[in-house]
Each structure stands twice: as C-alpha cells, then as structure tokens.
Amino acid sequence: MKIVIIDYGAGNIQSIKFAIKRLGYDAILSSDAEEIKAADKVIFPGVGEASSAMKMLKSTGLDKVIPTLKQPVLGICLGMQLMCTYCEEGDTDGLGIFHANVVKFDNKLKVPQIGWNKIYDLKSALFTGISEGEFVYLVHSFYVKECAETIASTEYGVEYTSAIQKDNFYGVQFHPEKSSDAGEKILENFLKLEVRN
C-alpha cells in the first residue's frame, strides 16, 4: 500500500510517520502532485497558523490538487481545518471540501485546548472498534462548527466537530498519532478503508 503524507512545511510529520510504522506500513513524504495522486491513502497533516499554511499550499499548487483526490484522504488538526470553507484564523479561505467554518473558542475558555478530551456520536467506519466517550489528544484554539458532515463531536465550552467526512475525505481535529491505543486504531481503520470509484 502506498501511503503519502503531504509535505508542505506545516506538519507534525515525523510523529505521524512513526505511528504508521508501528502499524506495519511505510509512509513517504511528498509535495509532488503526481506522487500524491498515485497514492492509495493520503494524509494531510497540519500544525501552525491557517493563513501561512494556506499560502504554502498555494505556492506549491497543492491547493488545487487536494480537492480533486479520489482515494481516502485524512486531514489532521490544521489539515482538517484547511479542508473547510473558511477559517477565522488569519481570515483564510480554505479548500472548500467540507461546508463548515472554523471559528475561535470563546475568550472565557483557556485556549488553546491542550490535552485529553472525549469523542462521541461516532458515525463512521473510521471509528470501528472505538467506544463512545473514548479519550483523544487535542491541541487547538479554533474549532469546526457542527455541520451535516460531522461524524464525531467533542465538548469544550461548546459542542464542536472533532471529526468530519464527505465522500473520500475525512478530517480529525485530534492527533491520532498522539492519542495512544485509540488513535492507533483510528489510523489503522483509515488505512483499511476501501477505495470507492
């Protein structure tokens, strides 16, 4: 299986690579459009600030490539947020794959939210073998509002989208590579997803 992690200078790439290695697979890092298109599975990571990450995607033309991908694609953290329509952070237009907006947590809350929190209302093959209320690891100041494409929720002052899906595109706000056994299982489930034509 060919697994490509999109390399655009805004990712927690090594920890994802190690997590995939623990599952018995190798992943390659690439910013090459043809290599990404030829992959069986694509992981779109992201750490950092939305507008600068989007600029990096545009500078490589990957902003045009990612929405056209046909194989299963998993956006992680900022990667998931950039797949949405709009992000308040840096007043940034996203890739528009998910019809959802990314907004900042209320100032009354401690931000960023750092640490373990529960996911619930799980609605996807991504969560096969995962219990309702399972704990995952999160680090973020902005969140995706609940929408028709939400497949898991989390509560932090407000109920928000912790996972999202549309067709072959999946996104998780949490870091599966840092979420212990549950995160490893979710990554494994993603790698086992069937490719739909």
Side-chain angles (χ1 to χ4, degrees):
M1 178 161 49
K2 185 176 182 184
I3 303 162
V4 172
I5 301 170
I6 297 176
D7 185 4
Y8 66 110
N12 45 326
I13 280 170
Q14 290 307 326
S15 53
I16 296 169
K17 210 175 168 189
F18 290 139
I20 289 168
K21 188 91 175 158
R22 284 196 299 273
L23 291 168
Y25 300 96
D26 283 314
I28 60 168
L29 311 179
S30 183
S31 56
D32 180 81
E34 293 312 310
E35 194 158 42
I36 292 167
K37 286 179 190 170
D40 298 304
K41 301 287 188 309
V42 175
I43 295 177
F44 177 32
V47 171
E49 192 269 335
S51 62
S52 54
M54 201 67 204
K55 279 190 193 112
M56 287 190 278
L57 281 179
K58 284 180 175 169
S59 72
T60 57
L62 289 175
D63 62 314
K64 299 283 190 287
V65 174
I66 294 167
T68 69
L69 296 174
K70 302 293 183 231
Q71 67 275 70
V73 179
L74 179 66
I76 296 175
C77 194
L78 180 61
M80 164 177 142
Q81 294 184 356
L82 293 176
M83 291 159 89
C84 294
T85 305
Y86 173 78
C87 187
E88 270 185 8
E89 186 177 30
D91 189 23
T92 306
D93 286 327
L95 299 175
I97 295 164
F98 301 122
H99 299 295
N101 290 330
V102 185
V103 297
K104 194 165 200 284
F105 280 120
D106 192 299
N107 289 333
K108 297 189 191 88
L109 295 165
K110 186 179 175 191
V111 292
Q113 176 189 193
I114 301 179
W116 297 86
N117 204 340
K118 291 178 184 175
I119 52 172
Y120 51 87
D121 289 343
L122 310 177
K123 308 181 184 86
S124 165
L126 204 57
F127 301 113
T128 301
I130 301 292
S131 306
E132 287 284 332
E134 186 66 75
F135 280 90
V136 293
Y137 189 81
L138 298 122
V139 183
H140 61 124
S141 303
F142 292 78
Y143 66 91
V144 177
K145 288 186 165 184
E146 297 245 284
C147 63
E149 296 153 348
T150 299
I151 56 168
S153 300
T154 295
E155 197 272 323
Y156 187 68
V158 62
E159 193 168 74
Y160 68 86
T161 296
S162 47
I164 194 165
Q165 179 193 351
K166 182 185 178 189
D167 302 326
N168 56 310
F169 292 96
Y170 297 77
V172 291
Q173 182 60 64
F174 52 89
H175 287 275
E177 77 282 4
K178 294 178 182 171
S179 296
S180 193
D181 292 348
E184 199 162 277
K185 178 67 176 157
I186 290 165
L187 271 180
E188 184 181 22
N189 288 341
F190 171 72
L191 295 177
K192 286 180 175 172
L193 288 172
E194 294 295 322
V195 179
R196 292 190 201 130
N197 294 324

